[in-house]
Amino acid sequence: MSSPSRRALIPPPSQKTYDVPSYKADHSSKSGSVNMATELHTFIHLLFIGVVALFPVVNPIGTAFVVMPYFAQLDEAGKEQAVRKITMYAFFICTVTLIAGAWILKLFGLSIPVVRLAGGIMICKMGWEFLSSDKDDSADSSKDVNTTKHRSIENQLFYPLTFPLTTGAGTISVLLTLSAHGADADLRQLAFNMTAILLAIIVMCVLVYVFFLNTQRIERYLGSQGERIFNRLIAFFIFCVGLQIAVTGLKTLFT
């Protein structure tokens, strides 16, 4: 007969030391899949919010009508080159605003209402210049005038066509809000959020490129007289939009 001390040294047959590690590995894999699903849902949600929030302030359809008079004297190649540069400038402004916009405003001691007020004044100025111009379009058919027009549009691609017309104070304020909404203490989650907002910017730039490039088709439907009337109406709306942006910024400053 064996002694009690020898029986204590023999482990019971029901105990299995390899069950616990197997259970832990399975639990960690399930946890990782749940985290991935949550991150993907947050990514898609923030991408959707970015597109929805940027679309009304960039307004690629309405802005295409506004910039249409600037492209009147350009051929297809020149127009495509101009639209490509505007799209690149817009992407650059949005990306810099997303990454370092808040820091730049703090550096110069600026606030969003001040940016809105200044941008609204610039848009008002541009609309007033359109309304007060009484040039005769039929007199602009010579080669020298066309060359001057092409050089003039080159100087206007960044200001005012890209900023503040396409990406103005409203776009900057939305991007600053989205970047603050997407900020997270976790660097991995922050990278996911910034990538989602950056994809929303790319979507808006693609829309800007497509609509700006097809303004000539709209011109063909309008005709010369219809285009002149339409340009006057658009100039009035530009002035009103700039005034609205400026008044909004002014109200925010004094409330």
Side-chain angles (χ1 to χ4, degrees), residues 142-171:
S142 66
K143 184 177 180 181
D144 293 336
V145 174
N146 287 338
T147 305
T148 304
K149 289 277 185 183
H150 189 271
R151 290 176 182 173
S152 177
I153 191 67
E154 283 289 333
N155 296 329
Q156 293 175 336
L157 290 180
F158 184 80
Y159 171 82
L161 293 183
T162 304
F163 183 86
L165 197 54
T166 305
T167 52
T171 308

Side-chain angles (χ1 to χ4, degrees), residues 12 23 38-39 42 63 66 119 180 215 232 252:
Y23 173 77
T38 304
E39 289 175 352
T42 304
T63 311
V66 175
T215 54
R232 294 294 181 179
T252 310

